[in-house]
Amino acid sequence: MQNRQKSRCPPSLPINSSCRDKSMLILKQHHSLRSGKLGEQCEAVVRFPRLFQKYPFPILINSAFLKLADVFRVGNNFLRLCVLKVTQQSEKHLEKILNVDEFVKRVFSVIHSNDPVARAITLRMLGSMASIIPERKNAHHSIRQSLDSHDNVEVEAAIFAAANFSAQSKDFAAGICNKISEMIQGLATPVDLKLKLIPILQHMHHDASLASSSRQLLQQLVTSYPSTKMVIVTLHTFTLLAASSLVDIPKQIQLLLQYLKNDPRKAVKRLAIQDLKLLANKTPHTWSRENIQALCESALQTPYDSLKLGMLSVLSTLSGTIAIKQYFSSAPGTAATTVRSFDLVKLAQECCYHNNRGIAAHGVRILTNISASCQEKDLLPLEQDAVFGLESLLVLCSQDDSPGAQATLKITLTCMVKLVKCRPHLSQSVVESLLTQLHSAQDAARILMCHCLAAIAMQLPVLADGMLGDLMDLYKLIGRSTTDKKQELLVSLATVIFVSSQKALSSEIKTVIKQQLENASNGWTAYRIARQASRMGNHDMARELYQSLLTQVASEHFYFWLNSLKEFSHAEQCLTGLQEDNYSSALSCIAEALKSYHKGIASLTAASTPLNPLSFQCGFVKLRIDLLQAFSQLICTCNSLKTSPPPAIATTIAMTSGNDLQRCGRISNQMKHSMEEFRNLATRYGDLYQSSFDADSATLRNVELQQQSCLLISHAIEALILDPESASFQEYSSNGTAHVESEYERRMMSVFNHVLEEVESLNRKYAPVSYLHTACLCNAVIALLKVPLSFQRYFFQKLQSTSIKLALSPSPRNPAEPIAVQNNQQLALKVEGVVQHGSKPGLFRKIQSVCLNVSSVLQSKAGQDYKIPIDNMTNEMEQRVEPHNDYFSTQFLLNFVILGTHNITVESSVIDSNGITWKTGPKTTIFVKSLEDPYSQQVRLQQQQGQPPSQQQQQRTAYSRF
């Protein structure tokens, strides 16, 4: 029985515990579907979506859908409805059905039933499958016939199927368009049925003529049927058709603006605003100045706040796009008018102080976007209006904890951050208003305001030390409160304090924070504050908090995790005592830091689990350890110029070799070794960067800064000592106007620029090596280490999760067992894969395509030891495939001419939408045993026995059958 179950296992997956689990699940589902009880059958049917999610490979999905088709064919209408719901929920798995003809045949047989409900469910089933059977003529014919049915349920199902097939098939859309037109214009068709038929026309966008005829029909309907419902449905279909066909969008914008201006019905106006918002989001470049002007005039004239709110929403969307530049640019050959062209500004200024919070929020957003987009214009009065409007909204919304007020406050604070980023001279007034309002605001508003303050302070050093007193008073006040927002507020305010204190925290500030945390008695809050301290470089505070949390966790993995964080913070704290020109103290500080780092990496390894291997964290810390060791070795090498002077024959060796650097003794070889070590570290940092597909941009920038520091030191060694003549400083020149995202990046870039200036000033001077050169290198190392390391978000938290699961076919029954292949044949290796996402797919970047690399290496050779061309010993192939519905599949043809065991490795990497390659893995390995074909084996045996092969055998070759 066990052998039979193994034989049923899909060939695309190895027979292990996972495969046996699948086999058992399929058998269990099969028995439940065959049950005589309706409840068990329904339960088995609704379990399939979860099964597809767990095992999303074609061999299982094909088998499951064939079983569901059988249930659909022989079951009652309730079971058919369950199968329909499963099919609609598993729409992205439909393409993995291998036997599409058989699946459709079983489902389609129900269309000939005498029961109209059964036919209706079948039509909806066919409509749900339209993506895999778009050109099935029998399905097209059944839909056309059912549109003429006298049963309303069947007709509605036919409309659903017609809409789905029209979206997928150009032929069906062209054929059904006239039929739909006749039914809509026919007097016998009820109005409610016409309202359901009209949306089908939104899919008639496959070619220009079809879209044009559909547009003409819709134009006739708008004028012929002026009722509210008919106009609303027709206009919305009009908009969706224009958005899909792309050629009639300007006409559609004009039509919607016309209805917005002239139609007195508020429902039609609301629909026009909704569609204008859709077009503003999708195609803002198609909006002309006249369109925006017409919308501004309508907003200025309308007496209804609800309509004005909708129009301002459209205008605020447009103000953040290229349309705003078109609005303010003067047309060629005409003079720019000063009144009419600035109606948008007039409208925004009027709305900034409106009694409706939503209208006021959109008004200040428009002013902010104009100030940010049109930086070449002198808009000082406009900037002041934006700041005053933002401050008034801040005062209004911070006193109200209702959901509407909080939503408006979020818009206001987002505009503040954007305005300060584009206009830095406004930062001081914005920050002062935030700090003033913090004391009287509600707790929910305080949290949002703290986030805004931290975001501004990360970009610009606007929080002075004099503001810390107000923040600490507020922190004490919050610690005594009893609201449910207390924990979140403590974390947010502590983050602002960490950002504002550019240097190490004073003992008074640390005492206040620890006292409030002791009163709060929440370990999770203390951990979050410690995590923020590690991100901002306040490692002394973080170490104390991690130490206090060690005894408050119940799991040993959590204990080791916190212990490793404590050791890392202590290690970085040891580096804060570094001083320039004090190299012996620097070596002792680095040694102390390395000691703590080694303790921490041991705890970090113990904290990892199979489900959470902490691969990025371990890789980042190991690179930090190697970087500190390289820095320490470089300082020792620089000191060797004093402690180990060159031998007496050094000058003779330099003259003989022609290398003037040999006069300095062994320091030349040591410097070469150091330079290679730093370049190797830079390469490893680049590999860590490429493997971090799910990391946020701040974490990636942090890794990039570490890589740049390694490249900087290697360049300094080369420019000062090894090859001063050929050193170039152009590629390392700083981008002075580049925007930095954090204080850590700002300080690192400052150090980079300073080191480059020092190196350039000493370049080609005091050859070959002087104490000034070695002192410059040591001071560069100390300057880099004095910047506190920032442990970014991805070190603690993964917001995006992406993984790839591969399946190879053929696959051995036992992973260690090789697959047998004859050496005169090729192996067709099929690689299937599924992209699996977490709760927030595509948060930072999305997968555009998957790159599959297949390579084979000969492990052990069998038979005679004769020379074989190197091309026949290995296989190296690469293919790129684009996942569809998170599934991809491709095949490779591999040659194994040499007899023996070959190791095949399949490695996957992903390419994002920007064309960047990320080495995400996984890497899968199988073994292939290349066997000698029977004829060659027979010839070889005859030759060994001394018997010449027959004439017929001599003429036959391995390729004779071709």
Side-chain angles (χ1 to χ4, degrees):
M1 181 65 184
Q2 187 177 3
N3 293 334
R4 288 182 183 176
Q5 288 181 6
K6 283 185 178 181
S7 64
R8 292 194 192 103
C9 188
S12 62
L13 295 168
I15 292 191
N16 47 27
S17 60
S18 175
C19 192
R20 282 196 293 271
D21 290 344
K22 280 196 299 298
S23 301
M24 294 302 295
L25 282 172
I26 292 175
L27 286 174
K28 186 177 179 181
Q29 294 285 86
H30 180 72
H31 289 313
S32 299
L33 291 175
R34 296 288 183 183
S35 172
K37 298 179 180 178
L38 181 62
E40 290 184 5
Q41 288 180 305
C42 295
E43 186 180 0
V45 169
V46 299
R47 277 205 204 105
F48 275 102
R50 188 178 298 176
L51 182 66
F52 296 157
Q53 188 177 3
K54 195 173 183 181
Y55 304 106
F57 287 99
I59 195 70
L60 181 141
I61 289 173
N62 181 68
S63 174
F65 269 111
L66 289 178
K67 287 180 171 39
L68 288 174
D70 277 335
V71 173
F72 190 90
R73 178 169 55 88
V74 301
N76 56 24
N77 284 343
F78 183 71
L79 277 174
R80 290 177 182 135
L81 189 61
C82 292
V83 174
L84 172 63
K85 294 298 181 183
V86 168
T87 304
Q88 291 176 342
Q89 289 178 19
S90 310
E91 185 179 358
K92 72 175 187 177
H93 298 298
L94 290 176
E95 291 185 349
K96 302 172 191 174
I97 299 176
L98 304 177
N99 300 345
V100 177
D101 293 338
E102 183 62 29
F103 177 63
V104 175
K105 179 182 176 183
R106 298 179 188 182
V107 170
F108 193 76
S109 61
V110 188
I111 201 69
H112 305 295
S113 170
N114 291 328
D115 183 4
V117 176
R119 295 198 301 269
I121 296 175
T122 307
L123 287 169
R124 290 187 178 271
M125 187 75 174
L126 291 173
S128 303
M129 296 155 43
S131 59
I132 60 172
I133 54 167
E135 306 299 338
R136 294 291 173 116
K137 301 304 179 185
N138 53 356
H140 296 178
H141 179 68
S142 299
I143 294 170
R144 291 177 65 92
Q145 273 192 328
S146 298
L147 285 173
D148 296 328
S149 174
H150 297 288
D151 187 87
N152 289 334
V153 176
E154 186 176 356
V155 173
E156 289 180 6
I159 293 172
F160 170 81
N164 285 6
F165 271 91
S166 298
Q168 300 290 336
S169 172
K170 176 182 176 181
D171 292 342
F172 180 81
I176 204 69
C177 185
N178 293 331
K179 175 74 173 176
I180 299 296
S181 175
E182 292 173 3
M183 292 182 68
I184 293 174
Q185 293 177 330
L187 298 177
T189 309
V191 175
D192 59 339
L193 191 58
K194 290 181 180 181
L195 292 174
K196 294 175 182 176
L197 285 167
I198 290 173
I200 299 178
L201 297 175
Q202 65 180 289
H203 303 297
M204 307 298 172
H205 53 75
H206 298 281
D207 57 36
S209 61
L210 186 62
S212 177
S213 61
S214 301
R215 188 171 178 83
Q216 290 176 5
L217 173 60
L218 289 169
Q219 189 71 52
Q220 294 174 7
L221 291 175
V222 167
T223 55
S224 303
Y225 298 91
S227 65
T228 302
K229 287 185 178 180
M230 188 67 78
V231 169
I232 286 175
V233 173
T234 307
L235 274 181
H236 188 57
T237 306
F238 229 145
T239 303
L240 294 177
L241 177 62
S244 300
S245 59
L246 299 177
V247 293
D248 295 317
I249 292 178
K251 294 181 182 178
Q252 183 62 23
I253 294 174
Q254 293 175 1
L255 179 65
L256 292 172
L257 288 171
Q258 180 183 345
Y259 270 90
L260 179 62
K261 182 179 180 180
N262 300 328
D263 199 301
R265 293 168 291 188
K266 292 182 68 175
V268 176
K269 288 180 180 288
R270 278 195 292 266
L271 186 276
I273 292 172
Q274 174 188 334
D275 286 353
L276 286 170
K277 182 73 177 289
L278 186 150
L279 295 176
N281 280 315
K282 186 168 184 179
T283 56
H285 58 280
T286 60
W287 285 69
S288 64
R289 183 199 296 183
E290 291 74 19
N291 297 147
I292 300 177
Q293 184 68 27
L295 190 57
C296 291
E297 291 174 358
S298 298
L300 286 168
Q301 294 170 3
T302 181
Y304 301 107
D305 286 351
S306 60
L307 296 180
K308 180 173 286 191
L309 178 63
M311 296 180 207
L312 282 170
S313 173
V314 179
L315 289 171
S316 67
T317 301
L318 290 171
S319 65
T321 65
I322 195 174
I324 197 67
K325 290 184 177 292
Q326 297 175 359
Y327 180 75
F328 283 104
S329 63
S330 58
T334 60
T337 56
T338 57
V339 180
R340 303 299 295 170
S341 62
F342 286 99
D343 273 358
L344 178 61
V345 176
K346 179 182 175 183
L347 174 65
Q349 289 172 338
E350 283 185 7
C351 295
C352 278
Y353 305 101
H354 201 278
N355 55 6
N356 186 310
R357 284 191 303 256
I359 293 177
H362 285 303
V364 296
R365 177 187 276 179
I366 292 171
L367 290 178
T368 303
N369 288 335
I370 293 174
S371 301
S373 301
C374 305
Q375 297 192 20
E376 67 278 0
K377 296 181 180 295
D378 185 16
L379 299 175
L380 185 60
L382 201 62
E383 295 170 7
Q384 295 299 327
D385 288 341
V387 172
F388 294 153
L390 289 170
E391 289 177 353
S392 64
L393 266 181
L394 177 66
V395 173
L396 177 66
C397 298
S398 61
Q399 310 296 329
D400 190 353
D401 57 355
S402 64
Q406 296 304 303
T408 305
L409 182 62
K410 286 182 180 179
I411 296 174
T412 305
L413 297 176
T414 304
C415 291
M416 281 184 171
V417 175
K418 184 173 183 178
L419 188 63
V420 168
K421 183 177 180 180
C422 299
R423 306 282 183 169
H425 60 275
L426 301 174
S427 58
Q428 202 63 34
S429 60
V430 171
V431 169
E432 287 177 359
S433 61
L434 282 170
L435 288 173
T436 304
Q437 201 59 33
L438 262 178
H439 291 275
S440 59
Q442 297 287 332
D443 282 350
R446 282 174 174 172
I447 295 172
L448 298 175
M449 293 164 68
C450 287
H451 291 168
C452 178
L453 272 173
I456 294 174
M458 290 284 282
Q459 297 175 3
L460 299 167
V462 292
L463 290 175
D465 293 337
M467 301 176 182
L468 275 177
D470 293 339
L471 294 174
M472 295 312 301
D473 293 341
L474 185 60
Y475 204 85
K476 295 176 184 177
L477 180 67
I478 293 168
R480 293 191 293 268
S481 67
T482 57
T483 61
D484 54 347
K485 301 286 186 180
K486 176 181 177 181
Q487 307 296 332
E488 184 72 25
L489 193 51
L490 286 173
V491 178
S492 303
L493 195 55
T495 304
V496 178
I497 293 172
F498 293 148
V499 175
S500 62
S501 57
Q502 306 297 338
K503 300 177 182 178
L505 292 175
S506 64
S507 57
E508 180 184 356
I509 295 177
K510 291 194 289 185
T511 303
V512 171
I513 292 177
K514 286 192 290 186
Q515 285 178 352
Q516 301 305 323
L517 289 179
E518 289 173 1
N519 298 334
S521 67
N522 189 327
W524 177 241
T525 302
Y527 172 73
R528 292 177 65 192
I529 293 177
R531 188 173 66 185
Q532 292 293 70
S534 295
R535 289 178 63 187
M536 304 304 168
N538 295 293
H539 298 291
D540 53 343
M541 184 73 203
R543 182 183 63 82
E544 296 178 13
L545 292 178
Y546 290 136
Q547 178 69 45
S548 66
L549 290 172
L550 282 175
T551 57
Q552 299 185 29
V553 291
S555 167
E556 64 175 7
H557 294 293
F558 294 155
Y559 172 83
F560 285 124
W561 168 248
L562 290 174
N563 189 58
S564 66
L565 294 178
K566 183 202 76 171
E567 295 293 344
F568 299 153
S569 300
H570 179 66
E572 291 299 327
Q573 181 61 25
C574 293
L575 299 175
T576 57
L578 292 173
Q579 297 178 355
E580 286 190 9
D581 301 326
N582 191 351
Y583 307 140
S584 59
S585 172
L587 286 173
S588 60
C589 289
I590 294 175
E592 188 68 25
L594 283 171
K595 182 179 177 182
S596 295
Y597 260 119
H598 283 296
K599 290 181 181 178
I601 193 65
S603 294
L604 188 64
T605 307
S608 61
T609 61
L611 294 178
N612 188 19
L614 303 177
S615 54
F616 173 81
Q617 291 85 342
C618 291
F620 184 80
V621 171
K622 287 176 182 176
L623 280 171
R624 182 66 174 173
I625 291 172
D626 292 344
L627 181 60
L628 291 178
Q629 289 175 341
F631 281 152
S632 178
Q633 184 62 38
L634 179 59
I635 295 176
C636 292
T637 300
C638 292
N639 288 339
S640 69
L641 188 63
K642 302 176 182 178
T643 60
S644 179
I649 61 170
T651 306
T652 306
I653 295 174
M655 294 177 62
T656 306
S657 62
N659 186 2
D660 197 34
L661 190 60
Q662 294 292 334
R663 290 191 303 164
C664 302
R666 64 174 188 170
I667 191 174
S668 60
N669 293 328
Q670 290 178 334
M671 284 295 179
K672 286 181 182 178
H673 178 72
S674 290
M675 186 181 71
E676 292 173 357
E677 191 171 359
F678 279 107
R679 287 183 176 174
N680 182 39
L681 282 170
T683 304
R684 290 171 58 192
Y685 269 115
D687 293 339
L688 181 66
Y689 184 101
Q690 284 190 318
S691 63
S692 306
F693 178 79
D694 294 321
D696 57 287
S697 57
T699 302
L700 293 177
R701 181 57 182 154
N702 191 4
V703 175
E704 195 175 10
L705 287 171
Q706 304 304 313
Q707 182 186 28
Q708 289 176 358
S709 65
C710 296
L711 292 174
L712 175 68
I713 297 297
S714 68
H715 171 71
I717 295 172
E718 182 182 19
L720 290 177
I721 299 175
L722 296 180
D723 195 3
E725 298 298 328
S726 62
S728 172
F729 293 87
Q730 293 182 357
E731 58 180 314
Y732 293 93
S733 61
S734 63
N735 296 326
T737 59
H739 182 73
V740 293
E741 296 291 339
S742 65
E743 176 64 20
Y744 175 72
E745 183 180 355
R746 187 180 298 110
R747 296 177 67 177
M748 287 293 285
M749 294 304 294
S750 175
V751 171
F752 290 168
N753 296 334
H754 176 70
V755 170
L756 282 173
E757 290 173 1
E758 292 292 325
V759 172
E760 192 169 4
S761 65
L762 289 174
N763 185 35
R764 304 177 187 176
K765 295 180 181 179
Y766 315 109
V769 179
S770 70
Y771 299 128
L772 292 175
H773 295 152
T774 56
C776 179
L777 288 174
C778 293
N779 288 332
V781 169
I782 292 173
L784 287 171
L785 291 177
K786 282 177 68 176
V787 181
L789 180 67
S790 173
F791 291 93
Q792 290 294 336
R793 180 189 292 275
Y794 192 59
F795 195 88
F796 303 96
Q797 185 182 20
K798 182 187 288 190
L799 295 182
Q800 173 182 313
S801 178
T802 310
S803 61
I804 294 178
K805 189 176 181 181
L806 294 179
L808 307 183
S809 175
S811 193
R813 296 180 179 277
N814 187 356
E817 179 183 343
I819 301 170
V821 179
Q822 292 187 11
N823 67 335
N824 63 342
Q825 297 178 347
Q826 291 180 317
L827 175 67
L829 181 67
K830 184 177 183 181
V831 182
E832 299 172 286
V834 176
V835 181
Q836 297 175 324
H837 302 283
S839 58
K840 299 178 180 178
L843 179 63
F844 300 121
R845 56 198 63 87
K846 298 179 181 179
I847 294 179
Q848 182 71 26
S849 59
V850 179
C851 183
L852 295 170
N853 183 278
V854 175
S855 59
S856 67
V857 178
L858 179 64
Q859 279 203 328
S860 59
K861 186 164 62 172
Q864 299 177 356
D865 189 10
Y866 51 88
K867 292 184 179 180
I868 298 176
I870 192 68
D871 295 341
N872 296 331
M873 296 182 65
T874 60
N875 289 284
E876 194 76 32
M877 297 184 183
E878 185 176 286
Q879 284 192 35
R880 290 187 180 184
V881 290
E882 292 189 7
H884 192 265
N885 289 328
D886 295 333
Y887 171 77
F888 59 90
S889 172
T890 188
Q891 288 188 341
F892 297 88
L893 279 178
L894 305 177
N895 286 312
F896 300 100
V897 179
I898 307 175
L899 305 183
T901 303
H902 299 257
N903 182 10
I904 301 178
T905 302
V906 181
E907 185 175 7
S908 65
S909 55
V910 301
I911 300 169
D912 64 9
S913 53
N914 295 324
I916 302 173
T917 302
W918 302 83
K919 298 177 181 177
T920 57
K923 185 184 292 186
T924 307
T925 302
I926 59 172
F927 296 95
V928 171
K929 188 171 185 180
S930 179
L931 303 176
E932 192 174 11
D933 67 288
Y935 172 71
S936 300
Q937 187 178 15
Q938 180 183 358
V939 171
R940 181 175 54 79
L941 290 175
Q942 289 179 357
Q943 289 177 351
Q944 288 178 356
Q945 294 172 2
Q947 299 177 3
S950 63
Q951 186 68 24
Q952 182 181 0
Q953 289 175 341
Q954 285 180 352
Q955 295 177 355
R956 180 181 175 188
T957 65
Y959 298 97
S960 61
R961 64 175 180 269
F962 297 109

